[in-house]
């Protein structure tokens, strides 16, 4: 959704640059010694604007005009838009996959921070942290060969940031009541050990602290990525059994990333270049909404939903609609949930009636 939203903004910017190009081509040449006919240039510029906008709306890649200069400039603008937008589509697709794959990097970074915090605790001279250092989950993190390997491979260790980690340990970890209480327990149970480590990750590293602020500054999509990272970290801690192994296992980003990657790219490819007749479905069904009142987020959500309805026959219609209603609920305006629900219901029925929507296998469930 973010990539498609960004793509829409790129297209809008490209459109504006095309108008700027036309303006520049019909501006008086201040370096010329010849007399400039400003009125004629202004008239040609206005005509070029109109010809360009008509061609743009009709999605024509080239125009013909009786005035050679107007034809040349408008075609130059159309060619610029096509080339720049194609580049933007490719860049957003590339960034989309890379951003998703980096979530695993952030997961490793957060787990590795747990190890770095233990190192900071071991060198603290003002307080004894034996209870924390003997915590079996902390030892599990320290002994994990997989974590060591991936933190070095992905350059997600904290070896070069230990000064920062020591400040975080002093100002966040060591001042936390739950952490201090855990140090007083002489023989903590396994559940108590697990809970304190879970608390450190969930509330102190990924909570509302300066540690989370660091990640927020470093990671563009941290607000969304954090929830996935948090879930992966919690599962890592929950599934580790120190009585069975000293090797703490790592989570994977996906059970089958290649399959998920193909899904993401296919959805993006279709939604980024929605056929005219399907774009028209959105326009026709949102006609009562003023253009400036229809959030771009809602339009992107509708485009994605249409793309999923059409390109994934194995996904039931109701599942798709419910997913995008939840997306609208979480990321758009308060009224967007009902709006998206109503529009998608109508569009899905239209696609079924025209035969565009074809479901098979599990996709046939609850489609009536």
């Amino acid at each position: 959704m973010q990539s498609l939203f960004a793509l829409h903004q790129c297209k809008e910017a490209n459109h504006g640059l095309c108008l700027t190009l036309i303006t520049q081509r019909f501006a008086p040449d201040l370096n010329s010694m010849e007399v400039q006919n400003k009125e004629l240039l202004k008239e040609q510029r206005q005509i070029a604007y109109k010809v360009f906008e008509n061609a743009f709306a009709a999605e024509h890649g080239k125009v013909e005009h009786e005035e050679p200069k107007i034809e040349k400039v408008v075609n130059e603008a159309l060619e610029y838009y096509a080339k720049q937008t194609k580049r933007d589509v490719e860049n957003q697709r590339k960034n989309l996959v890379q951003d998703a794959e980096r979530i695993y990097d952030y997961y490793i970074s957060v787990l590795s921070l747990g190890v770095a915090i233990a190192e900071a605790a071991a060198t603290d001279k003002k307080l004894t942290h034996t209870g924390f250092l003997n915590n079996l989950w902390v030892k599990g993190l320290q002994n994990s060969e997989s974590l060591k390997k991936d933190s070095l491979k992905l350059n997600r260790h904290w070896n070069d940031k230990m000064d920062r980690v020591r400040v975080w340990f002093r100002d966040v970890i060591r001042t936390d009541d739950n952490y201090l209480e855990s140090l007083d327990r002489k023989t903590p149970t396994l559940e108590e050990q697990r809970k304190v480590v879970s608390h450190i990750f969930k509330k102190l590293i990924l909570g509302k602290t300066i540690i989370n602020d660091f990640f927020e500054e470093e990671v563009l999509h941290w607000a969304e990525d954090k929830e996935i990272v948090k879930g992966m970290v919690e599962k890592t801690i929950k599934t580790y059994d120190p009585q069975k192994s000293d090797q703490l296992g790592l989570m994977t980003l996906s059970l089958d990333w290649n399959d998920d990657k193909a899904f993401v790219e296919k959805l993006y490819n279709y939604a980024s270049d929605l056929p005219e007749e399907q774009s028209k479905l959105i326009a026709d069904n949102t006609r009562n909404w003023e253009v400036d009142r229809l959030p771009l987020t809602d339009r992107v959500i509708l485009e994605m939903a249409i793309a999923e309805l059409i390109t994934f026959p194995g996904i039931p219609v109701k599942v798709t609609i419910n997913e995008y209603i939840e997306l609208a609920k979480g990321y758009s305006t308060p009224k967007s949930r009902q709006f998206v629900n109503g529009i998608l219901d109508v569009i899905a029925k239209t696609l079924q009636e025209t035969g565009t929507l074809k479901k098979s296998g599990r996709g046939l469930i609850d489609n009536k």
Side-chain angles (χ1 to χ4, degrees), residues 251-360:
M251 297 291 107
T252 57
L253 179 61
S254 165
L255 293 176
D256 187 344
W257 173 238
N258 288 331
D259 188 50
D260 288 344
K261 179 181 174 182
F263 173 88
V264 168
E265 291 183 322
K266 188 175 182 180
L267 181 63
Y268 172 85
N269 289 340
Y270 198 95
S272 65
D273 190 22
L274 209 63
E276 183 180 352
E277 63 271 19
Q278 287 152 30
S279 293
K280 191 172 183 296
L281 280 176
I282 296 176
D284 289 346
N285 286 287
T286 57
R287 191 171 294 164
N288 293 330
W289 286 65
E290 294 179 16
V291 176
D292 59 348
R293 289 182 58 210
L294 180 61
L296 177 55
T297 304
D298 286 358
R299 179 170 184 83
V300 170
I301 288 173
L302 292 173
E303 290 173 346
M304 290 174 66
I306 290 174
E308 185 172 307
L309 285 168
I310 293 172
T311 60
F312 297 97
I315 302 178
V317 172
K318 285 188 177 180
V319 171
T320 293
I321 292 178
N322 288 337
E323 286 293 333
Y324 288 96
I325 289 172
E326 288 302 309
L327 202 58
K329 179 182 176 183
Y331 292 95
S332 198
T333 67
K335 294 182 179 180
S336 291
R337 181 178 182 178
Q338 292 82 0
F339 169 74
V340 168
N341 185 14
I343 299 299
L344 283 184
D345 188 55
V346 174
I347 288 177
K349 289 177 180 176
T350 302
L351 291 173
Q352 285 176 320
E353 291 170 358
T354 59
T356 307
L357 187 65
K358 298 176 182 178
K359 294 295 179 179
S360 60

Side-chain angles (χ1 to χ4, degrees), residues 130-132 135 177-189 191-196:
T130 305
F132 176 64
N135 185 297
D177 291 338
N178 285 338
Y179 174 76
L180 294 174
E181 287 176 10
S182 72
L183 298 181
D184 294 332
R185 301 189 188 107
K186 294 182 179 180
T187 56
T189 64
E191 182 62 12
E192 287 173 334
Q193 292 182 59
R194 185 192 66 78
K195 281 186 176 181
V196 70

Side-chain angles (χ1 to χ4, degrees), residues 111-135:
L111 286 182
S112 297
L113 180 54
V115 176
I117 286 173
E119 291 179 21
T123 58
D124 184 26
K125 297 179 180 180
K126 293 187 177 182
L127 191 64
T128 300
H129 302 274
T130 305
F132 176 64
L133 295 173
N134 288 336
N135 185 297

Side-chain angles (χ1 to χ4, degrees), residues 33-275:
M33 299 298 292
E34 298 179 5
V35 177
Q36 303 289 301
N37 189 334
K38 295 182 180 180
E39 287 300 319
L40 176 61
L41 287 172
K42 181 179 179 181
E43 182 182 342
Q44 290 176 325
R45 183 169 64 246
Q46 294 302 321
I47 294 172
Y49 285 152
K50 186 175 181 180
V51 173
F52 171 79
E53 292 293 11
N54 289 338
F56 185 84
E59 298 185 356
H60 292 159
K62 197 170 184 179
V63 300
E64 292 183 357
H65 196 272
E66 58 187 15
E67 175 59 50
K69 185 175 181 180
I70 291 175
E71 179 179 318
K72 179 184 177 182
V73 172
V74 170
N75 284 331
E76 186 180 350
L78 290 170
E79 183 179 359
Y80 172 84
Y81 181 85
K83 286 183 177 180
Q84 190 61 42
T85 298
K86 182 179 179 180
R87 187 180 305 162
D88 291 333
V89 169
E90 292 299 323
N91 287 339
Q92 290 299 332
R93 182 191 295 111
K94 181 180 178 181
N95 292 336
L96 170 63
V97 174
Q98 289 180 341
D99 287 344
E101 291 175 334
R102 286 194 189 104
I103 294 175
Y104 182 80
D105 294 26
Y106 307 143
Y107 160 67
I108 294 298
S109 182
V110 169
L111 286 182
S112 297
L113 180 54
V115 176
I117 286 173
E119 291 179 21
T123 58
D124 184 26
K125 297 179 180 180
K126 293 187 177 182
L127 191 64
T128 300
H129 302 274
T130 305
F132 176 64
L133 295 173
N134 288 336
N135 185 297
L136 295 180
W137 272 260
V138 173
K139 289 183 175 295
L141 289 169
Q142 292 174 317
N143 295 332
S144 175
E145 294 298 329
S146 298
L147 180 56
K148 291 177 184 177
K149 179 182 176 182
D150 282 0
S151 64
L152 290 172
K153 177 184 176 182
L154 302 171
N155 193 29
R156 293 294 170 172
H157 56 78
W158 296 85
N159 299 341
D160 55 344
K161 299 182 182 71
M162 282 307 298
D163 287 343
R164 186 189 297 268
V165 173
R166 280 187 280 271
V167 171
W168 289 343
F169 177 74
R170 181 195 68 198
D171 296 344
V172 180
I173 310 298
R174 208 174 64 186
T175 60
D176 181 71
D177 291 338
N178 285 338
Y179 174 76
L180 294 174
E181 287 176 10
S182 72
L183 298 181
D184 294 332
R185 301 189 188 107
K186 294 182 179 180
T187 56
T189 64
L190 288 175
E191 182 62 12
E192 287 173 334
Q193 292 182 59
R194 185 192 66 78
K195 281 186 176 181
V196 70
V197 172
S198 179
H199 171 75
I200 289 172
F201 280 112
K202 187 176 181 180
K203 298 296 184 180
L204 305 185
I205 294 178
L206 298 174
K208 296 180 179 180
T209 67
I210 56 174
I211 304 177
N212 181 71
D213 291 344
F214 168 81
F215 284 103
E216 200 165 61
E217 292 173 2
E218 293 291 314
V219 182
L220 180 62
H221 303 305
W222 184 243
E224 289 77 24
D225 294 348
K226 181 178 76 171
E227 296 307 313
I228 303 174
V229 171
K230 184 186 292 186
M232 293 174 72
V233 169
E234 288 179 354
K235 287 180 182 178
T236 302
I237 296 169
K238 187 176 181 180
T239 56
Y240 176 55
D241 186 347
Q243 292 181 314
K244 293 182 179 180
S245 173
D246 66 344
Q247 288 297 304
L248 178 142
L250 300 179
M251 297 291 107
T252 57
L253 179 61
S254 165
L255 293 176
D256 187 344
W257 173 238
N258 288 331
D259 188 50
D260 288 344
K261 179 181 174 182
F263 173 88
V264 168
E265 291 183 322
K266 188 175 182 180
L267 181 63
Y268 172 85
N269 289 340
Y270 198 95
S272 65
D273 190 22
L274 209 63

